Amino acid sequence: MRNDRQNLIVDLTFQFALKIIAFAEKLKEAKKYEMASQVFRSGTSIGANTKEAQNAESKADFIHKFKIAAKEADEVYYWLELCKSSEHLPDPDEQIFKDLNSILS
């Protein structure tokens, strides 16, 4: 049975995914396709796994999905830090880091 009630973490991760999509487009415009792909996949996966956890088959499945989301959040944090530190890549907006830290909390 689906659980489509309002959920703060699902909403936060969905909004974060939209910001990640926009940043990935910036990377594509700069012809940084590999980085755009990495950022897109890991950044949108957080919300997908969080949403999937809402319909988990068991408590263990729920925990597993959230652990995957946390791992993806760590991964996108790494890619965003690389972008921020590299002179060859577009700099992500500070709001993306703030949103990611909220999700991680």
Side-chain angles (χ1 to χ4, degrees), residues 12 15-16 19-20 23 77 80 84 91-103:
L12 284 173
Q15 293 304 315
F16 180 75
K19 290 177 183 174
I20 285 295
F23 183 64
Y77 196 91
L80 293 171
K84 184 177 179 179
D91 196 10
D93 168 323
E94 277 304 311
Q95 189 61 47
I96 288 179
F97 285 103
K98 289 178 183 175
D99 292 347
L100 185 53
N101 285 325
S102 292
I103 290 166

Side-chain angles (χ1 to χ4, degrees), residues 27-87:
L27 289 164
K28 286 180 188 176
E29 288 169 9
K31 299 186 186 324
K32 305 300 181 187
Y33 303 110
E34 293 85 2
M35 185 61 78
S37 180
Q38 292 287 0
V39 167
F40 181 89
R41 282 196 315 269
S42 57
T44 58
S45 181
I46 300 166
N49 280 290
T50 301
K51 180 71 172 178
E52 192 175 343
Q54 304 310 299
N55 296 300
E57 295 175 9
S58 66
K59 185 176 181 179
D61 187 34
F62 179 83
I63 292 168
H64 178 70
K65 299 291 185 219
F66 262 94
K67 284 186 176 181
I68 292 171
K71 287 171 68 173
E72 295 293 341
D74 286 340
E75 182 178 339
V76 78
Y77 196 91
Y78 174 78
W79 297 125
L80 293 171
E81 280 289 318
L82 278 177
C83 290
K84 184 177 179 179
S85 299
S86 174
E87 61 187 49

